[in-house]
């Protein structure tokens, strides 16, 4: 009943092709954006902004990146964290070595660097696919981790190999409070999410999905598979690189290569599996789930079972994550996004039976 | 809908944390009890919590103020550590008193936040070594000893074993380090000392996590060094000892850092660990009066303390936690002497830590004589101690084989100041002015 | 150049490689029969070793503990087949792979939740003293491990060639549909396979645990097995052995010799990524591995 499409007519091609053709969707998205940009900075405290929302947004961005590679193009990648690391360290070095480098330009350049590295490690995808490719991306993960730890140049010869992010300054305004960092991150992520959603509708996006669905047929119809895959690697790594740079600058403030281990790659992979492979909404839902679940477990445990040991909670977390992955893949392989979609379909009719 | 739920949760959390305004001092415990380093976390935080618990039960707290705490699992991960910190920093009547994360990575992530929030960070025996320069890092305290100090003490010990520092000339030392930020920390200070004393040092990296060390030890065998310094973590330690046995290198020529010197590091190696020497800033043992007090007030009569395995009481990690407890409590007492016997804020606690002085007489009163060294913290020197002892594993326990060996500050301090100055320049901070005490 | 030293590194590497092969054999078993790449093999190794060591520490005699763990692993195999695999019967390989990643996390959580996160020493009675052989020093323990691996391969070979169940397994590996049509019960076969993989995991767990102590890092052995499989081929047990030997030898030799020649410190930490780079090269040149089945889709 709330989701009726009756009465919504499109009178121009542009109106028909917009991202959110249904009015209720547009209202909903507008609402979310208003709350995110306007309401939350006013009501939320430091903890919510600095420790929950910012990492959620950054991980959602990384999940978007992995989504482009795995969800749209079907190339399984376990090197997400490696590309994030490249982004973080590249941003640090650009800010450090180029005097007067504007922050946003540094982030963009960090993304480009990650994209280039992504293309290099994506070259094997030309000849292999499936989880053989996953192994190739594992090579990327371990190699990048090693290079960043081994060669002190990347961390400016800090004895611990840790990079301390410089202060963020855009047009003279310093972004050093939780609220300002949150708004900056939100802006960047919202813009890139919009780009990702639109990418799916471009020719490149359709080529990606063709490769995912059946690459033989795609080749036969004349799509350049090599180029398509490499572009996917590049764009995906760009997203992951920006996410990594934001992780260092807007969230932790100091990173070492060990912040971007295989565990993180798995975490992002879990996000898109649980959220729904191949959808932008899925990246956000998955990220929210993965970020909030441990905290909910912890807080819930303290509230309802005070005195329960923290290690039991942590092990329970592993068990729940593992169990949920199995559950989602078995029961609803398209993840939470599909559940959301089903909910919308039901809303269309509710409360009527048909 | 997502935002509504989160707003409701936020309200619930905020309400929950507005605790009863009783006379309480809250300490957030950023602990880790799972993952590859869980043994360290469970032992350390067990000792820390048990000591505070003992003070509550025996003395009714410190100066009449009861200690409270809440654990939050960080899994030794930086982002979890930050999340735990942010969640707990406002808890308690005066907010979090002090933070001790037992992780170098988390310490790094917390430095700026804690400084902005005015909550001191104690990184006892780990963290940023250059935070010993309190002028640049007013809120960070690498108490007792930092990595660089400890390294110079180790070279002094080796020199002692060789019969004098001059005998180090021409000797070969291998630095076997864990392939991580932590592992690489002591490379520059070793190079500096090798120049000063004339020994040759070879750095060999063991890739994380370190359960494969065969090629490294074969190389060590071909180098035939006089000493091997083991800078390991977790599984790397017992693997190193076993690999040493495999290639036939004598275990009593291996000197480990204190993160390679706990019972959990040697027990899995079995017989291969006999004779291995490790540095420590405290011995193991339950004979110390303070440990006895903990056993009496927290565990006697079937009561349950924080340690599930009582056999670990008195072992390395547990005693380390006890020392952390002692330092925290004494700093609170110091701060209370200035600000009064009431719950203190983080800023007041910072003053307390910075003016912490524990002499031998006080150590005896605390029941920690010979367990820890006398401490003297100042604005200029956030380390406050700098000495280590060396102990040897005989197959069943650690036996102390040296007295307190002080660090060589003439080598360490310039490096610290240089690194701290670099940090200050990068962050555009103005260092404080401190008297050189 | 010191030839003795070279041989020591080489032999040490070969023997280390055997240890990797032990884990890889478990992968091969499952892949051969069900086409699933079981990322959870490392977690199974950890789970088996941890359960065994915890039982022994509680005073169980070693043969009883061994039997108990074997029973648990077999039960686990059946459970996995029933709960995880059957609902996902026709899904693409990627999905099945991701499911095993979830399974790995699940097993790790259960293992540590039930038995705790302490480090345990594991003694199987073999001392790790070196043993001089024509001037080259070889580890006793590694020799024992190679012996065990050889025995295991022999047992598995006999199982696959001579027993009815083994033949059924090979039939299933060849063609599921055809196997079904001759009356082989797929779900029964899969459960057996997972149980067998569990047994292999137990053997690997005992040997690795004795080498390095039973702790969480044992799960990382699964990661090292991946390049072994790529080199050897996913469906071949002899391939797993050969792949393991090659990976073990080359990673140690690279660590020692390449590291020092580029002018970096001796021991550059290359061990972590070198096997993967080697696997990558192999993937580009001979993707099916040395002994695997050629499966080419020309695009």
């Amino acid at each position: 009943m709330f989701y009726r499409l009756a009465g919504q007519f499109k009178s121009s091609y542009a109106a028909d092709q917009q991202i959110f053709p249904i009015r209720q969707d547009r209202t909903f998205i507008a609402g979310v954006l208003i709350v995110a940009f306007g309401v939350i900075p006013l009501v939320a405290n430091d903890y919510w902004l600095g420790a929950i929302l910012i990492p959620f947004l950054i991980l959602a961005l990384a999940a978007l990146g992995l989504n482009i590679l795995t969800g749209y193009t079907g190339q399984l990648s376990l090197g997400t964290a490696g590309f994030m690391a490249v982004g973080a360290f590249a941003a640090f070095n650009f800010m450090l070595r180029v005097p007067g480098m504007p922050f946003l330009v540094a982030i963009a350049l960090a993304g480009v660097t990650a994209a280039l590295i992504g293309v290099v490690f994506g070259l094997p995808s030309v000849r292999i696919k499936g989880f053989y490719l996953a192994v190739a991306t594992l090579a990327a993960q371990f190699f990048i981790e090693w290079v960043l730890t081994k060669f002190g140049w990347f961390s400016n010869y800090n004895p611990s190999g840790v990079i301390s992010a410089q202060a963020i300054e855009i047009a003279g305004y310093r972004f050093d409070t939780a609220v300002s960092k949150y708004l900056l991150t939100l802006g960047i992520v919202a813009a890139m999410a919009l780009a990702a959603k639109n990418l799916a509708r471009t020719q490149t996006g359709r080529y990606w999905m063709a490769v995912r669905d059946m690459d033989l047929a795609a080749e036969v119809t004349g799509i350049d598979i090599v180029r398509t895959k490499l572009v996917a690697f590049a764009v995906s790594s760009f997203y992951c690189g920006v996410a990594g740079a934001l992780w260092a600058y807007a969230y932790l403030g100091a990173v070492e290569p060990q912040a971007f281990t295989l565990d993180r790659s798995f975490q992002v992979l879990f996000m898109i599996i649980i959220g729904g492979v191949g959808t932008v909404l899925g990246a956000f839902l998955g990220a929210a789930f993965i970020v909030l679940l441990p905290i909910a477990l912890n807080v819930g445990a303290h509230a309802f079972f005070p005195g329960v040991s923290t290690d039991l909670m942590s092990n329970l977390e592993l068990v729940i994550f593992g169990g949920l992955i199995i559950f989602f893949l078995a029961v609803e392989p398209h993840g939470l996004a599909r559940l959301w979609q089903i909910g919308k379909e039901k809303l269309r009719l509710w409360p009527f039976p048909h | 809908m997502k935002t509504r739920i989160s707003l409701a949760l936020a309200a619930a959390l905020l309400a929950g944390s507005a605790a009863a305004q009783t006379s309480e001092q809250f300490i957030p415990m950023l602990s880790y009890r799972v993952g590859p380093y869980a043994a360290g976390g469970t032992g350390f935080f067990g000792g820390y919590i048990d000591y505070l618990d003992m003070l509550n039960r025996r003395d009714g707290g410190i100066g009449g103020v009861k200690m409270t705490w809440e654990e939050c699992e960080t899994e030794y991960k930086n982002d979890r550590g930050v999340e735990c910190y942010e969640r707990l920093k406002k808890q308690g009547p005066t907010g979090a008193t002090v933070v001790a994360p037992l992780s170098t990575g988390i310490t790094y992530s917390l430095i700026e936040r804690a400084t902005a929030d005015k909550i001191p960070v104690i990184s006892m025996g780990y963290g940023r070594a250059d935070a010993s320069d309190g002028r640049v890092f007013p809120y960070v305290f690498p108490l007792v000893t930092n990595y660089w100090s400890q390294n110079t003490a180790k070279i002094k010990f080796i020199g002692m074993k060789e019969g004098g520092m001059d005998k180090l000339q021409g000797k070969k030392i291998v630095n076997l380090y864990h392939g991580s930020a932590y592992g690489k920390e002591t490379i520059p200070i070793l190079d500096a000392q090798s120049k000063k004393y004339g020994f040759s040092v070879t750095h060999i990296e063991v890739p994380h996590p370190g359960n494969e060390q065969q090629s490294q030890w074969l190389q060590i065998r071909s180098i035939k060094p006089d000493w091997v310094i083991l800078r390991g973590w977790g599984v790397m330690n017992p693997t190193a000892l076993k690999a040493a046995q495999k290639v036939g290198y004598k275990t009593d020529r291996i000197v480990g850092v204190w993160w390679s010197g706990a019972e959990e590091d040697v027990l899995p190696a079995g017989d291969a660990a006999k004779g291995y020497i490790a540095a420590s800033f405290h011995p193991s043992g339950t004979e110390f009066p303070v440990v006895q007090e903990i056993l009496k007030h927290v565990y006697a009569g079937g009561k349950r303390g924080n340690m599930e395995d009582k056999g670990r009481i008195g072992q390395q990690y547990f005693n380390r936690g006890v020392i952390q407890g002692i330092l925290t409590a004494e700093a609170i007492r110091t701060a209370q002497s200035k600000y009064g016997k009431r719950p203190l804020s983080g800023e007041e606690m910072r003053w307390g830590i910075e003016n912490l002085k524990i002499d031998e007489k006080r150590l005896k009163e605390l029941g920690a004589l010979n367990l820890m060294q006398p401490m003297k913290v100042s604005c200029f020197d956030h380390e406050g101690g700098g000495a280590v002892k060396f102990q040897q594993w005989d197959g069943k326990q650690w036996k102390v084989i040296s007295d307190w060996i002080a660090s060589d500050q003439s080598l360490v301090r310039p490096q610290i100041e240089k690194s701290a100055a670099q940090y200050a320049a990068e962050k555009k901070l103005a260092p404080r002015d401190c008297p050189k005490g | 150049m010191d030839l003795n030293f070279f041989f020591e590194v080489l032999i040490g590497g070969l023997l280390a490689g055997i240890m990797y092969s032990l884990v890889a054999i478990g992968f091969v078993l499952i892949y051969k029969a069900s086409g699933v790449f079981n990322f959870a093999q490392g977690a199974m190794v950890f789970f088996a070793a941890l359960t065994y060591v915890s039982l022994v520490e509680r005073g169980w005699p070693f043969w009883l503990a061994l039997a108990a763990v074997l029973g648990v692993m077999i039960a686990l195999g059946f459970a996995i087949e029933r709960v995880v695999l059957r609902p996902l019967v026709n899904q693409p390989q990627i999905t099945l792979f991701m499911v095993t990643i979830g399974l790995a996390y699940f097993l790790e959580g259960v293992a540590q939740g039930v038995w705790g996160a302490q480090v345990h020493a594991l003694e199987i009675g073999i001392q790790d003293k070196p043993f001089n052989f024509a001037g080259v020093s070889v580890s006793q323990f590694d020799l024992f491990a190679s012996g065990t691996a050889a025995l295991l391969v022999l047992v598995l070979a006999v199982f696959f060639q001579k027993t009815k169940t083994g033949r059924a397994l090979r039939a299933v590996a060849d063609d599921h549909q055809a196997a079904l049509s001759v009356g082989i019960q797929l779900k029964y076969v899969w459960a057996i396979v997972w149980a067998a993989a569990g047994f292999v995991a137990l053997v690997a767990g005992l040997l690795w645990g004795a080498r390095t102590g039973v702790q969480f890092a044992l799960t990382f052995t699964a990661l090292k097995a991946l390049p072994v499989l790529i080199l050897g081929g996913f469906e071949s047990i002899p391939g797993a052995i050969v792949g393991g030997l090659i990976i073990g030898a080359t990673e140690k030799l690279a660590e020692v010799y390449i590291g020092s020649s580029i002018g970096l410190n001796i021991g550059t930490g290359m061990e972590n990524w070198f096997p993967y780079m080697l696997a990558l090269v192999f993937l580009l040149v001979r993707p099916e591995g040395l002994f695997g089945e050629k499966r080419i889709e020309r695009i």
Side-chain angles (χ1 to χ4, degrees):
Chain A
M1 175 162 107
F2 298 112
Y3 216 62
R4 290 254 154 185
L5 301 179
Q8 292 184 34
F9 303 110
K10 307 283 183 288
S11 49
S12 72
Y13 283 121
D16 202 27
Q17 283 174 346
Q18 54 188 307
I19 303 183
F20 300 109
I22 303 173
R23 194 186 334 119
Q24 287 90 333
D25 278 341
R26 283 201 294 277
T27 327
F28 180 71
I29 292 287
V32 166
L33 285 174
I34 291 177
V35 169
F37 276 99
V39 176
I40 290 195
L42 297 175
V43 281
N45 61 8
D46 260 9
Y47 169 63
W48 276 87
L49 286 173
I52 299 193
L53 288 173
I54 292 186
F56 155 68
L57 286 171
I58 299 178
L59 288 174
L61 188 61
L64 278 174
L66 184 60
N67 205 18
I68 290 177
L69 194 54
T70 305
Y72 290 154
T73 324
Q75 315 289 306
L76 182 61
S77 162
L78 293 176
T80 320
F83 300 127
M84 286 173 79
V86 171
F89 278 78
F92 172 74
N93 278 291
F94 277 118
M95 296 275 295
L96 182 71
R97 297 172 199 281
V98 179
M101 164 75 73
F103 178 70
L104 289 172
V105 175
I107 299 268
L109 284 175
V112 169
T113 318
L116 290 171
I117 305 278
V119 169
V120 168
F121 281 101
L123 285 170
S125 71
V126 168
R127 289 209 61 175
I128 52 181
K129 59 181 194 177
F131 56 73
Y132 292 98
L133 186 62
V135 173
T137 54
L138 269 182
Q141 170 71 43
F142 290 132
F143 184 70
I144 292 176
E145 227 182 292
W146 176 80
V147 166
L148 291 174
T149 312
K150 186 83 201 167
F151 296 103
W153 184 86
F154 291 108
S155 51
N156 200 22
Y157 299 106
N158 179 299
S160 297
V162 176
I163 54 169
S164 280
Q166 300 90 340
I168 306 175
E169 223 179 280
I170 302 183
Y173 178 74
R174 264 199 148 193
F175 285 79
D176 48 10
T177 61
V179 180
S180 55
K181 285 189 184 165
Y182 163 75
L183 285 171
L184 178 67
T185 315
L186 183 64
I188 295 179
V189 171
M192 291 180 81
L194 185 65
K197 194 145 175 81
N198 272 315
L199 265 174
R201 294 150 23 103
T202 62
Q203 186 183 56
T204 319
R206 287 197 294 274
Y207 282 178
W208 288 339
M209 290 188 261
V211 167
R212 172 191 65 194
D213 290 338
M214 194 185 283
D215 43 7
L216 274 162
E219 176 88 16
V220 161
T221 43
I223 299 176
D224 184 344
I225 301 276
V226 173
R227 215 184 120 178
T228 309
K229 287 187 186 175
L230 291 178
V231 167
F233 266 97
V235 174
S236 163
S237 309
F238 179 83
Y239 273 70
C240 294
V242 173
L246 284 175
W247 191 256
Y249 279 85
Y251 180 43
L252 282 182
V255 282
E256 43 176 11
Q258 279 75 42
F260 300 111
T261 57
L262 190 59
D263 235 5
R264 174 87 49 213
S265 294
F266 279 137
Q267 194 186 30
V268 181
L269 183 65
F270 286 179
M271 282 178 202
I272 64 168
I273 296 179
I274 293 183
V277 192
T279 64
V280 168
L281 179 65
F284 283 95
L285 290 178
F289 191 82
I290 300 254
V291 167
L292 288 177
L293 184 68
I295 302 177
L297 270 181
N298 256 299
V299 172
H302 270 286
F304 296 117
F305 310 103
V308 72
S309 59
T310 54
D311 54 344
L312 188 64
M313 280 297 114
S314 281
N315 286 322
L316 200 62
E317 206 184 291
L318 284 177
V319 166
I320 290 183
F321 272 143
L324 276 175
I325 294 287
I326 300 177
F327 174 77
F328 268 101
L329 284 173
V331 169
E332 184 49 82
H334 297 280
L336 290 172
R338 178 95 188 100
L339 293 175
W340 176 267
Q341 216 180 352
I342 294 176
K344 287 204 302 191
E345 308 259 314
K346 297 256 188 283
L347 263 184
R348 206 162 286 185
L349 289 178
W350 182 83
F352 307 111
H354 53 259
Chain B
M1 183 168 88
K2 222 182 341 179
T3 39
R4 218 177 324 133
I5 297 182
S6 39
L7 280 176
L9 265 177
L13 278 176
L14 287 170
S17 59
Q21 293 297 315
T22 50
S23 187
E24 280 176 359
Q25 194 80 48
F26 174 72
I27 300 194
M29 294 285 177
L30 269 53
S31 62
Y32 45 92
R33 292 174 184 271
V34 294
Y37 313 118
T42 45
F44 178 85
F45 288 99
Y48 193 7
I49 291 176
D50 276 348
Y51 182 78
L52 297 177
D53 203 5
M54 189 267 291
L55 287 181
N56 275 351
R57 287 179 205 254
R58 186 188 69 178
D59 309 331
I62 302 177
V65 179
K66 269 204 163 220
M67 305 300 299
T68 59
W69 55 86
E70 187 177 316
E71 273 194 69
C72 178
E73 177 71 38
T74 65
E75 293 183 11
Y76 200 75
K77 293 195 181 128
N78 291 7
D79 52 326
R80 297 283 295 249
V82 168
E83 190 268 318
C84 281
Y85 167 80
E86 290 284 342
R87 187 173 356 136
L88 297 175
K89 73 182 183 190
K90 292 224 169 62
Q91 211 153 317
T94 49
T97 315
V98 67
V99 177
L102 200 64
S103 149
T104 300
I106 300 181
T107 307
Y108 267 85
S109 303
L110 289 181
I111 287 179
E112 278 184 40
R113 285 167 198 259
T115 308
D117 294 330
K118 295 199 175 35
I119 299 177
V121 176
I122 294 184
S123 58
M124 179 183 77
Y126 57 91
R128 280 193 87 114
D130 55 5
S132 306
D133 188 346
R135 297 172 301 175
V136 177
F137 296 93
Y139 273 89
V140 188
F141 296 87
L143 291 180
V144 183
T145 168
N146 61 48
Y147 292 138
W148 298 346
S149 295
Q150 177 242 189
N151 193 272
T152 58
K154 207 175 268 126
I155 298 291
K156 275 198 191 174
F157 171 77
I158 292 179
M160 202 176 84
K161 282 281 212 170
E162 290 285 346
M165 296 306 275
D166 50 320
K167 300 277 193 307
L168 284 175
Q169 182 83 27
K171 292 274 187 292
K172 289 193 267 200
I173 296 185
V174 161
N175 176 33
L176 189 66
Y177 66 96
H178 182 250
S180 68
Y182 149 80
K184 290 169 44 174
E185 276 251 13
T186 48
I187 295 182
I189 194 93
L190 271 174
D191 289 337
Q193 288 179 95
S194 79
K195 277 199 203 57
K196 179 168 173 187
Y197 295 111
F199 60 83
S200 80
V201 64
T202 319
H203 303 284
I204 299 188
E205 177 179 329
V206 172
H208 174 76
N211 52 351
E212 265 301 312
Q213 288 182 38
Q214 190 160 18
S215 42
Q216 286 84 356
W217 280 92
L218 283 174
Q219 289 170 54
I220 291 180
R221 211 174 62 127
S222 73
I223 295 175
K224 292 198 201 358
D226 300 280
W227 294 91
V228 172
I229 295 182
L230 176 61
R231 190 174 173 79
W233 196 194
V235 70
M236 177 175 154
N237 296 319
T239 311
L241 295 171
K242 285 201 134 176
Q245 185 192 45
K246 251 206 229 290
V247 301
Y249 189 79
K250 288 176 56 169
T251 343
D252 58 4
R253 292 256 143 183
I254 306 178
V255 183
V257 308
W258 63 72
W259 295 110
S260 302
E263 286 79 357
E264 291 85 356
D265 295 317
V266 287
L267 280 170
D271 281 337
K274 274 208 196 116
Y276 165 61
I277 302 174
S280 176
F281 50 88
H282 56 85
S284 291
T286 53
E287 68 271 13
F288 301 99
V290 63
V291 182
Q292 290 292 318
E293 289 285 291
I294 292 178
L295 284 169
K296 187 165 113 190
H297 292 275
V298 179
Y299 286 93
K303 290 195 288 257
R304 288 191 61 197
N306 196 275
M307 296 301 292
E308 285 207 16
D309 178 3
K310 283 167 64 176
R312 294 181 65 203
I313 298 178
Q315 289 192 347
Q316 279 288 297
Y317 282 118
F318 182 85
N319 283 2
R320 201 163 297 165
V322 171
I323 293 184
Q324 174 76 49
I326 293 178
L327 290 171
T328 309
E330 291 304 296
I332 292 178
R333 268 185 238 279
T334 312
Q336 280 183 347
S337 71
K338 173 166 176 184
Y339 295 102
K341 288 191 179 9
R342 56 167 175 78
L344 301 162
S345 71
E347 224 180 321
E348 295 163 346
M349 178 65 173
R350 192 206 73 81
W351 186 92
I353 308 176
E354 207 169 61
N355 293 283
L356 183 63
K357 285 181 199 14
I358 308 181
D359 56 7
E360 289 219 359
K361 179 161 151 286
R362 180 69 191 147
L363 279 179
K364 193 141 185 242
E365 285 167 18
L366 288 168
L369 191 61
N370 293 325
L371 176 64
M372 54 186 278
Q373 56 191 290
M375 296 284 298
K376 183 161 180 290
V377 187
S378 71
C379 161
F380 187 71
D381 176 17
H382 272 195
E383 194 193 14
V388 287
K389 276 192 185 179
F390 288 86
Q391 44 191 20
Q392 191 165 32
W393 181 254
D394 67 0
K396 287 207 176 33
Q397 50 184 320
W398 291 104
K399 289 238 154 25
V400 177
I401 58 171
S402 83
D403 203 354
W404 293 111
I405 298 187
S407 59
D408 186 351
Q409 285 299 311
S410 72
L411 268 176
V412 176
R413 188 72 201 185
Q415 295 241 11
I416 288 182
E417 292 188 359
K418 190 171 103 179
S419 178
Q422 191 182 4
Y423 176 86
E426 267 177 31
K427 300 280 182 180
K428 302 194 184 39
L429 291 171
R432 301 184 289 164
D433 209 5
C434 283
K436 282 191 195 221
Chain C
M1 190 174 79
D2 188 356
L3 209 57
N4 267 348
F5 180 58
F6 171 76
F7 275 119
E8 276 172 2
V9 176
L10 179 63
I11 293 181
L14 289 172
L15 294 174
I18 299 275
M19 300 288 284
Y20 296 146
S21 309
L22 277 174
V23 185
I25 290 177
F27 281 104
V28 168
L29 279 177
I30 295 182
Y31 189 80
K32 249 168 103 96
S34 53
V36 175
F37 185 80
N38 176 26
F39 193 79
Q41 191 71 18
M44 284 163 72
V45 168
F46 175 58
F47 184 74
L50 192 57
T51 313
Y52 173 77
V53 115
S54 307
L55 288 176
V56 165
E57 279 180 2
R58 274 164 181 63
W60 290 41
F62 97 91
W63 53 269
L64 189 62
L66 209 58
V69 177
L70 195 57
V72 167
M73 294 312 283
I74 292 180
L76 187 67
F78 275 78
I80 291 177
E81 189 280 321
R82 182 75 187 77
V83 174
V84 174
L85 288 182
R86 222 185 284 178
L88 286 158
V89 147
N90 248 334
Q91 299 291 348
Q93 242 180 8
I94 296 283
T95 314
L96 291 166
F97 174 59
M98 295 197 284
V99 161
T100 57
I101 299 182
L103 185 62
Y105 272 69
F106 185 83
L107 283 177
E108 283 161 19
V110 169
Q112 287 188 114
V114 173
W115 298 118
Q118 306 304 89
V119 178
H120 303 271
L122 184 57
E123 287 303 328
I124 54 176
I126 311 287
Q127 272 296 31
D128 210 352
K129 300 260 185 347
F131 165 74
N132 248 305
F133 186 72
V136 171
S137 169
V138 179
S139 152
Q140 268 185 22
F141 183 86
D142 282 348
L143 285 177
F144 176 75
S146 332
T148 314
L151 189 62
L152 189 66
V153 171
L154 206 59
V155 165
L156 285 172
V158 165
F159 176 67
F160 277 113
Q161 304 282 22
K162 304 286 184 214
T163 66
K164 191 161 152 211
T165 322
R167 283 200 293 273
L169 272 149
R170 281 162 58 209
V172 167
D174 213 17
D175 190 329
H176 289 179
Q177 303 274 42
L180 267 173
S181 68
V182 294
I184 296 177
Q185 295 217 37
L186 270 185
K187 55 185 201 265
Y188 180 57
V189 162
W190 284 343
I192 301 267
V193 160
W194 277 80
F199 170 68
V200 172
L202 175 58
V203 172
L206 289 177
L207 286 173
W208 273 97
R211 207 167 187 248
T212 61
V214 178
Q215 47 194 295
F216 184 76
L218 225 47
T219 52
F220 292 129
T221 53
L223 294 175
K224 269 294 166 64
L226 286 173
V228 169
L229 289 165
I230 292 189
L231 251 68
F234 278 84
E235 296 105 350
S236 156
I237 293 186
I241 302 277
V242 172
L245 289 173
I246 297 179
I247 292 281
T250 50
E251 85 175 357
K252 301 283 184 279
L253 287 172
E255 176 89 24
V256 174
Y257 288 106
I258 299 185
S260 50
S261 69
I262 313 181
L264 303 166
N265 293 326
I266 307 177
T268 55
M270 285 170 76
E271 264 183 63
N272 255 355
W273 57 266
F274 188 80
Y276 281 93
M277 283 306 187
L278 190 62
L280 199 55
V281 167
F282 245 77
L283 279 174
L284 298 173
V285 168
R286 199 187 155 92
E288 69 275 10
L290 293 170
F291 292 84
E293 288 169 22
K294 241 175 153 70
R295 205 178 285 130
I296 302 182
E297 278 175 33
R298 290 208 189 283
I299 301 182

